[in-house]
Amino acid sequence: TKLWKAEGNGTFLSSAIAEAGVVIARGGTVAFPTETVYGLGADAGNTEAVEAIFAAKGRPSDNPLIVHIANIGQLDLLVEEVDATSRLLMERFWPGPLTLVLPVKVGAVSARVTAGLPTIAVRMPDHPVALGVIRAAGCPVAAPSANRSGRPSPTLAEHVRTDLDGRIDGIVDGGPTGVGVESSVVVVEEGGRLVRLLRPGGITVDDLKAAVPEAQIAFEAVSEVTEAPRSPGMKYTHYAPRGRLVVVQGSERLRTEWVREAVADAKRAGDRTGVLTVAERASLYEADLVVGCGREDRMETVAQELYAALRRFDDNGITYIVAEGYESAEGIGLAVLNRLIKAAGNQLIRIGESES
Ligand code: TXA
Ligand code: MG
């Protein structure tokens, strides 16, 4: 696996980007930073290259990939038609962390990309390295997150190395990503009157409401594990650390007590214990590893640090982790809570006053 590194001042050798693009154009797989997480890219039209992504990640083949474009002209190659609401959303949020599911143009990409669906997920990332690599590749680039399937998504090139070194052709190291959780995935339905949020992410429900005030925004937090998921990725365990993880929600007082007791119990049972909380609250707990992930008063910092925090528990051999869930899931908090609950395999504990 070839490693291209950013210059000290953060500007990129354009030759590194050009080389990475050529590797993709020739059917290789290259990981590169986006504004959300690192993606593992390949030519979306090349079935063998796309298969190499699935193989490197160990990803189930019925889980379709997001196709990344660098300019709006590339969209016409991929999709049949764009409804007015989707058009408004791309004008407002592209480049940026919003993925739109649209009717696919037959034969535009390998059937492996769409997993045989009549739709395709497309986004234009807001990152100079990602845009540069796609431009240099000269084709739409299929790119899921650059982690082994089931592991937390990578927000540093180091995470990609840990998971995929030796399994892919190259990694472009552009430093830490920005948002820290993946793009929001939406599909527009009912003639533009409904925007269905399939995966919460970098673009919030309020952002969507502001952009298309006439449309209704729908998100079903609990419909994620169903027989026929709307977005195939939703049925898989994601982002999971190796230890058992539970997420606990409730008033601050009860939650603190519950976490302390759960950690004490687990210690007695022989576990190596971990607590995932925010910086302000880290000193409240005693465990083998307490991670203050971001600041509660700045949820975007929690999102930025979340996946690196989950990986730290693995690195420290933690076997039991309690994560504090937050009461309000507004803004990017919705995506953070969604990822935490998925990481916990849907193990969410809600403590109410009545149980005290
Ligand atoms: O921020 C991101 O979106 C990152 C970076 C690398 O761009 N990419 C990413 O890709 O998270 P991935 O493959 O890990 O997630 C793709 C998600 C999955 O939940 C998948 O099921 C959904 O998009 N998806 C893809 N195609 C779809 C389709 N045609 N209909 C519904 N959902 C689709
Ligand atoms: Mg992923």
Side-chain angles (χ1 to χ4, degrees):
T1 301
K2 164 133 191 157
L3 184 67
W4 293 278
K5 243 186 171 331
E7 298 277 81
N9 64 3
T11 51
F12 236 81
L13 278 173
S14 53
S15 66
I17 290 180
E19 282 176 36
V22 168
V23 172
I24 291 177
R26 293 192 180 148
T29 50
V30 175
F32 55 82
T34 79
E35 81 281 32
T36 58
V37 300
Y38 274 75
L40 176 60
D43 176 355
N46 181 332
T47 294
E48 271 178 45
V50 173
E51 278 171 353
I53 290 181
F54 282 95
K57 283 182 59 89
R59 183 178 174 113
S61 61
D62 62 345
N63 193 3
L65 308 179
I66 294 173
V67 176
H68 296 65
I69 58 175
N71 61 67
I72 204 74
Q74 287 182 306
L75 186 67
D76 297 333
L77 307 171
L78 300 174
V79 305
E80 208 52 73
E81 57 184 295
V82 180
D83 62 274
T85 304
S86 295
R87 183 68 67 187
L88 270 175
L89 291 174
M90 24 180 112
E91 278 165 9
R92 174 68 187 77
F93 298 113
W94 281 4
L98 181 73
T99 295
L100 286 150
V101 173
L102 295 162
V104 67
K105 196 172 261 182
V106 176
V109 294
S110 165
R112 300 299 308 270
V113 169
T114 55
L117 294 171
T119 51
I120 184 170
V122 189
R123 86 178 192 99
M124 190 190 295
D126 186 14
H127 194 292
V129 175
L131 292 171
V133 170
I134 300 163
R135 245 179 254 123
C139 58
V141 172
S145 49
N147 51 283
R148 285 283 288 173
S149 198
R151 292 267 288 154
S153 294
T155 51
L156 290 171
E158 191 53 39
H159 300 156
V160 181
R161 280 252 303 258
T162 303
D163 281 15
L164 300 176
D165 196 18
R167 296 175 169 272
I168 60 179
D169 296 308
I171 302 172
V172 187
D173 182 350
T177 58
V179 180
V181 294
E182 299 86 344
S183 62
S184 303
V185 181
V186 302
V187 61
V188 172
E189 294 177 353
E190 294 179 17
R193 288 191 301 279
L194 189 71
V195 176
R196 198 178 286 285
L197 183 57
L198 300 174
R199 178 177 75 178
I203 298 297
T204 67
V205 170
D206 284 342
D207 293 335
L208 294 168
K209 275 186 189 150
V212 287
E214 272 90 68
Q216 190 203 329
I217 316 293
F219 175 59
E220 294 149 56
V222 283
S223 76
E224 296 194 352
V225 189
T226 58
E227 289 288 308
R230 286 180 205 274
S231 188
M234 290 187 164
K235 72 181 181 216
Y236 299 104
T237 312
H238 266 89
Y239 328 111
R242 294 194 183 97
R244 267 175 306 137
L245 169 68
V246 294
V247 182
V248 55
Q249 266 189 323
S251 71
E252 198 171 311
R253 184 178 64 83
L254 292 178
R255 198 172 69 212
T256 309
E257 267 173 35
W258 195 95
V259 173
R260 285 180 171 154
E261 280 172 27
V263 167
D265 287 349
K267 268 188 186 163
R268 272 192 295 274
D271 273 303
R272 271 182 67 78
T273 57
V275 175
L276 179 60
T277 181
V278 283
E280 296 97 316
R281 298 173 51 74
S283 64
L284 292 173
Y285 300 114
E286 279 176 44
D288 292 303
L289 180 65
V290 178
V291 180
C293 172
R295 294 189 54 89
E296 192 162 23
D297 55 4
R298 288 190 57 213
M299 256 306 165
E300 68 279 11
T301 62
V302 179
Q304 277 161 7
E305 295 172 29
L306 180 68
Y307 289 139
L310 288 174
R311 282 172 181 263
R312 280 187 62 192
F313 292 104
D314 285 355
D315 296 344
N316 285 275
I318 303 301
T319 57
Y320 178 80
I321 310 154
V322 191
E324 291 196 281
Y326 309 95
E327 279 313 281
S328 99
E330 307 234 302
I332 194 81
L334 180 65
V336 171
L337 195 60
N338 168 270
R339 302 310 192 271
L340 266 182
I341 292 171
K342 280 185 160 198
N346 295 316
Q347 292 293 308
L348 175 66
I349 292 163
R350 286 202 185 86
I351 346 165
E353 287 293 338
S354 57
E355 289 168 39
S356 62

